Amino acid sequence: MSQLIECVPNISEGRRAEVIEQFSRELSQVPGVVLLDSSSDLDHNRSVFTLVGSAEGLQQAVVRLYSLALEHIDLRRHQGSHPRMGAVDVVPFIPIRQATMADCVALARSTAEEIARQFDVPVFLYAEAASAPNRRVLSEIRKGEFENLEAKLAQPEWQPDFGPAHPHPTAGASAIGARFFLIAYNLQLSTGDLKIANAIARAVRASSGGLANIQAMGVFLAERNQAQVSMNLLNYEKTPIHRIQELVKIEARRYGVQVTGAEIVGLVPQAALIEAAAYYLQIENWQPSLVLEQAMLDKE
Amino acid sequence: MSQLIECVPNISEGRRAEVIEQFSRELSQVPGVVLLDSSSDLDHNRSVFTLVGSAEGLQQAVVRLYSLALEHIDLRRHQGSHPRMGAVDVVPFIPIRQATMADCVALARSTAEEIARQFDVPVFLYAEAASAPNRRVLSEIRKGEFENLEAKLAQPEWQPDFGPAHPHPTAGASAIGARFFLIAYNLQLSTGDLKIANAIARAVRASSGGLANIQAMGVFLAERNQAQVSMNLLNYEKTPIHRIQELVKIEARRYGVQVTGAEIVGLVPQAALIEAAAYYLQIENWQPSLVLEQAMLDKE
């Protein structure tokens, strides 16, 4: 089976249905690419497309996306509750299968170069593709948003990686990068007490002394009268699902609270679930080639 | 992604390496078929091939297999510790992906008809493809083995489903059928006491009051000084892995014994592991399309 990379571009348009529909239609016609999902938020005035495919197919799809964005989006007239600096705001590439992070970093670089060349848009490389430590975190790059780009790009430390040192008049600037697959994963608790969910979140997340690659916060689900530990798993290979699941259970015990269920938001790669099964079933001779479908791929 | 069926033919030759090698070579050249594994047992004097592919490809491969078996195997001179009645002894078809049991029953019938027509070998349909209740279990069909086939085929209740009512002189008779994927699954215990493993096996297996679709027995692993519950899971969809895993743990507790690990013998379909993950992670909104790779297949 062939290489598979995911690409999740975010555009600054979430309200004009006919425009968003045109993006979806044209993206799904690019050869070698499957449009898995598109979701738009009226309040954010932003849409997110989930594409999977080959490196070549995805780069073509991103070029098509910019072409449409420059035609239809004018950031001078854009308002929404989500921070943004570009008509195409951010384009991450994510390795899924038979693709490494290095492959995705290379794809981010060559796509960024091509976009800057064709469309005269300044592009920052971010996350694993970042060219400097202060460019790893998207919110740092985007701070000031579209309205302050002119001044930001004039600073020596904020020269773009590709393209001009001034914003595109209608399309602003973009961040293009590479990151690991993010699993949005929530654990429901046998309590309606948000304070308990927040305490568990603090105990298990990286920023306050918990597991690496885990972001977590407490959320209260009013319609269920239930508290939830809402998490992003930023690297399911290094910090697998079972470890965060069991650590949340351990911390919940302090309050006599149990995990009543889990929720996957969006999609989960099958490798993450298969590794969880291997842990819980205590498989001694575990290796991916024990899985029939993997054994087939290995033979092809 | 296309239909996937598994086929695991057993032939009555496990000693002549150059003959077995010829089978492997020719099977792996059939278009639309992948030869995943071949294993031969000198003591049994028997070889098992694991093929996966489309219905059409597998039927072609089975025809090729019979052609080679008639050329190279003479059951009048065959000896081995495993019961057998044919040069090609048994050919099961197993649904894996985008194929139902009904598809595999139909494939077994059409393959049996074709084999009887081309090679004049009597064929019994067995397991899910059986034409009568007493033909479901392979050991019932095979009772008496090659040496008593002449007398068995003369009985009205043992007329073959296809082909002549007398054995092929060198190739005997065959059973061709359809069954579910069998997962060979062993759980290691924190004891060297075989009696405990046998007691747990009796408690959990179908034949003595345990779970449906489970065969189990105790085994003593001398080199590890450890007892094991050795199982066949005959229908992992109806009786999933997690249920037998947890039931073995519950029964082991009576003896103060724990499960120290699990062993998968051969291959396991990924769906079986993913369902186990969904159970242990308590996923509330579980559906196969949450898995990225499945969502892609659904879009194609």
Side-chain angles (χ1 to χ4, degrees):
Chain A
M1 199 168 299
S2 53
Q3 186 185 61
L4 209 59
I5 294 172
E6 188 183 44
C7 180
V8 190
N10 291 218
I11 64 166
S12 295
E13 173 57 65
R15 292 175 186 166
R16 289 176 295 163
E18 74 291 354
V19 171
I20 297 162
E21 175 53 37
Q22 190 182 346
F23 275 83
S24 290
R25 197 167 54 244
E26 299 210 12
L27 288 174
S28 59
Q29 285 167 0
V30 178
V33 164
V34 175
L35 176 63
L36 274 187
D37 186 54
S38 79
S39 71
S40 301
D41 190 291
L42 291 173
D43 186 45
H44 291 178
N45 196 6
R46 186 178 180 90
S47 297
V48 179
F49 301 99
T50 304
L51 300 160
V52 285
S54 63
E56 301 72 36
L58 291 173
Q59 182 158 334
Q60 274 186 43
V62 171
V63 168
R64 192 78 204 97
L65 181 85
Y66 271 87
S67 175
L68 287 166
L70 265 72
E71 184 183 343
H72 292 290
I73 301 173
D74 184 345
L75 271 199
R76 292 170 300 188
R77 294 200 296 257
H78 177 273
Q79 289 194 313
S81 62
H82 194 290
R84 82 285 178 270
M85 64 176 181
V88 178
D89 197 51
V90 54
V91 181
F93 293 101
I94 300 125
I96 300 288
R97 191 177 66 203
Q98 295 189 4
T100 63
M101 182 55 75
D103 295 333
C104 288
V105 167
L107 177 58
R109 288 190 68 87
S110 77
T111 303
E113 190 169 7
E114 184 65 17
I115 293 302
R117 193 183 64 74
Q118 283 197 35
F119 301 101
D120 213 34
V121 171
V123 180
F124 294 96
L125 296 169
Y126 86 105
E128 300 295 319
S131 59
N134 65 335
R135 296 181 180 201
R136 286 187 69 88
V137 178
L138 181 63
S139 57
E140 290 293 308
I141 298 173
R142 197 161 53 193
K143 195 177 286 173
E145 301 193 39
F146 174 71
E147 287 70 16
N148 292 297
L149 263 182
E150 187 90 48
K152 185 162 193 166
L153 286 163
Q155 298 172 45
E157 70 270 32
W158 287 110
Q159 292 301 296
D161 290 288
F162 296 100
H166 53 81
H168 186 284
T170 60
S174 286
I176 298 180
R179 60 166 172 82
F180 286 101
F181 192 94
L182 182 155
I183 300 173
Y185 191 68
N186 302 327
L187 290 172
Q188 328 288 17
L189 303 178
S190 63
T191 177
D193 189 342
L194 177 59
K195 288 196 301 295
I196 292 176
N198 276 323
I200 295 170
R202 279 192 299 274
V204 303
R205 71 189 174 203
S207 65
S208 47
L211 287 170
N213 304 306
I214 302 295
Q215 297 172 334
M217 64 179 182
V219 168
F220 178 68
L221 307 173
E223 74 280 15
R224 294 168 62 142
N225 192 30
Q226 190 168 27
Q228 175 190 73
V229 182
S230 178
M231 294 178 285
N232 288 325
L233 319 189
L234 304 182
N235 187 331
Y236 66 83
E237 290 182 358
K238 287 192 178 163
T239 311
I241 301 182
H242 75 259
R243 199 170 297 149
I244 187 69
Q245 182 103 2
E246 295 305 309
L247 190 60
V248 167
K249 286 187 194 171
I250 284 168
E251 293 296 329
R253 267 187 229 152
R254 167 186 294 228
Y255 310 99
V257 162
Q258 295 188 307
V259 168
T260 66
E263 181 191 17
I264 291 167
V265 182
L267 297 171
V268 59
Q270 68 189 15
L273 292 183
I274 286 177
E275 286 293 334
Y279 169 81
Y280 285 107
L281 297 174
Q282 301 173 255
I283 300 173
E284 286 182 355
N285 61 330
W286 172 244
Q287 48 177 325
S289 64
L290 288 177
V291 177
L292 174 71
E293 287 84 349
Q294 187 59 48
M296 279 191 61
L297 295 183
D298 295 346
K299 286 275 175 180
E300 277 172 1
Chain B
M1 200 167 301
S2 54
Q3 186 185 61
L4 208 59
I5 295 172
E6 187 183 44
C7 180
V8 190
N10 290 217
I11 64 166
S12 295
E13 172 57 64
R15 293 174 186 168
R16 288 176 295 162
E18 74 290 354
V19 171
I20 297 163
E21 175 52 36
Q22 190 182 346
F23 274 83
S24 290
R25 198 168 51 245
E26 298 210 13
L27 288 173
S28 60
Q29 285 167 0
V30 177
V33 164
V34 175
L35 175 63
L36 274 187
D37 186 54
S38 79
S39 70
S40 301
D41 190 292
L42 291 172
D43 186 45
H44 290 179
N45 197 6
R46 186 177 180 92
S47 297
V48 179
F49 301 99
T50 304
L51 301 161
V52 285
S54 64
E56 303 71 35
L58 291 173
Q59 182 157 334
Q60 273 185 43
V62 171
V63 168
R64 192 77 204 101
L65 182 85
Y66 272 86
S67 176
L68 287 166
L70 265 74
E71 184 183 343
H72 293 289
I73 301 174
D74 185 345
L75 271 200
R76 293 170 301 188
R77 294 201 297 257
H78 178 273
Q79 289 194 314
S81 61
H82 194 290
R84 82 284 178 272
M85 64 177 182
V88 177
D89 197 51
V90 54
V91 180
F93 293 101
I94 300 125
I96 300 288
R97 189 178 66 203
Q98 295 190 1
T100 63
M101 182 56 74
D103 295 332
C104 288
V105 167
L107 177 58
R109 288 191 68 88
S110 77
T111 303
E113 190 168 9
E114 184 65 17
I115 293 302
R117 192 183 64 73
Q118 282 197 37
F119 301 101
D120 213 33
V121 171
V123 180
F124 294 96
L125 296 169
Y126 87 106
E128 301 295 319
S131 59
N134 65 336
R135 296 182 179 202
R136 286 187 68 87
V137 178
L138 182 62
S139 57
E140 291 293 308
I141 299 173
R142 198 161 52 192
K143 195 178 285 175
E145 301 193 40
F146 174 72
E147 286 70 15
N148 293 296
L149 263 182
E150 186 89 49
K152 185 162 191 165
L153 285 163
Q155 298 172 47
E157 71 269 33
W158 287 109
Q159 292 301 294
D161 290 287
F162 295 100
H166 54 80
H168 185 284
T170 60
S174 286
I176 298 180
R179 60 166 172 79
F180 285 101
F181 192 94
L182 181 154
I183 300 173
Y185 192 68
N186 302 327
L187 290 172
Q188 329 289 18
L189 303 178
S190 64
T191 177
D193 188 343
L194 177 59
K195 289 197 301 293
I196 291 176
N198 276 322
I200 295 171
R202 279 192 300 274
V204 302
R205 71 189 174 202
S207 65
S208 46
L211 286 170
N213 304 306
I214 301 295
Q215 298 172 334
M217 65 178 182
V219 168
F220 178 67
L221 306 172
E223 75 280 13
R224 295 167 62 140
N225 192 31
Q226 190 168 26
Q228 175 189 73
V229 183
S230 179
M231 295 179 284
N232 288 325
L233 319 189
L234 303 181
N235 187 330
Y236 67 83
E237 290 183 358
K238 286 192 179 164
T239 311
I241 302 181
H242 76 259
R243 200 170 296 149
I244 186 69
Q245 181 103 2
E246 295 305 309
L247 191 60
V248 167
K249 286 187 192 172
I250 284 168
E251 293 296 329
R253 267 187 227 154
R254 168 185 294 228
Y255 311 99
V257 163
Q258 295 188 308
V259 168
T260 66
E263 180 191 18
I264 292 167
V265 182
L267 297 171
V268 59
Q270 68 189 15
L273 292 183
I274 287 177
E275 286 294 332
Y279 169 81
Y280 285 108
L281 297 175
Q282 301 174 256
I283 300 173
E284 285 182 355
N285 61 330
W286 172 242
Q287 47 177 325
S289 64
L290 287 177
V291 177
L292 174 72
E293 287 84 349
Q294 187 59 48
M296 279 191 61
L297 295 182
D298 294 347
K299 286 275 175 178
E300 275 172 1

